[in-house]
Each structure stands twice: as C-alpha cells, then as structure tokens.
Amino acid sequence: MSTFTVTKNPEFATDVEVMQPTGNGHDKKILRTRFRVVPNSEANEFDLGTFEGTQAYLDRIVITFENLVDENKDPMTCDANLRSDLMDLPYIQNALVSAYTSALVGAKRGN
C-alpha cells in the first residue's frame, strides 16, 4: 500500500470524447484536457443549469487543451482566446463537464 501524498493544487489530464458536428452528423474526436481539481465547497457555488454558471465552472476547472491541430493538421498552441472559444461551444461544454465528473468519480472509486 502506498502512502497518500497531499497535493496542494491537484490537477490531471484526460482524454475527453467530443461528438463534433460535421456535415453528415457527428464524429467522435478526442480533446486532451488538463483539469484542476476544485473542492466540492467551491464547485457547489456554480449553477450548471445556466450557460453563465457552466462557463464560470469551466473557467475554473479547465487549465488548457493539449495536442491540438488546425484544419491542415498543423500543431496549435492553446492560448487564452482559443481556450475560451472552445469552451464556448455547447458540444464541448457538455463533454468537458461530463469527463471531469467521470474522472473524479473514477478517482474516488480507486480506478
């Protein structure tokens, strides 16, 4: 059994499955996302039933997106504007909230 390490500012990266709209429906894409863990006492302050509340929550939990490419498959750096633009898309918002919650539940179960 390993010793529990107290981490002052825990964060983690995970692959977020995003159903990206296309001309013919949707394609499943992977959006590698680095999250910060927010204590429940802070997370409860966000109203995820509203766009504004969800956006504020994502601003708090999403650190950055990794392994991005443009339409020509050239690597992209995730700056603050791109991060904001991506988090403004409803299909990405839903996927991020779901992936974050699932990752924390998995961590709590010891997976």
Side-chain angles (χ1 to χ4, degrees):
M1 182 183 313
S2 64
T3 304
F4 183 81
T5 303
V6 177
T7 306
K8 191 172 189 174
N9 298 303
E11 60 182 60
F12 64 95
T14 192
D15 291 336
V16 176
E17 289 187 9
V18 176
M19 295 303 291
Q20 188 173 31
T22 66
N24 298 321
H26 296 84
D27 284 341
K28 183 167 51 172
K29 301 291 185 175
I30 299 298
L31 180 59
R32 184 77 176 166
T33 306
R34 179 158 295 281
F35 291 102
R36 77 176 41 85
V37 178
V38 176
N40 287 336
S41 57
E42 185 178 335
N44 289 335
E45 297 174 12
F46 298 97
D47 181 1
L48 299 183
T50 66
F51 170 79
E52 294 80 10
T54 302
Q55 193 67 31
Y57 183 62
L58 291 175
D59 281 339
R60 182 69 180 108
I61 66 171
V62 174
I63 298 170
T64 193
F65 300 111
E66 302 170 353
N67 304 330
L68 298 173
V69 295
D70 65 15
E71 293 173 353
N72 296 320
K73 306 296 182 201
D74 294 324
M76 296 179 68
T77 300
C78 185
D79 62 17
N81 289 332
L82 179 57
R83 178 180 166 273
S84 180
D85 288 347
L86 290 173
M87 291 190 315
D88 192 37
L89 298 170
Y91 58 94
I92 291 179
Q93 275 192 355
N94 293 336
L96 290 170
V97 171
S98 178
Y100 177 79
T101 304
S102 294
L104 291 182
V105 168
K108 289 178 184 176
R109 290 185 183 151
N111 294 338

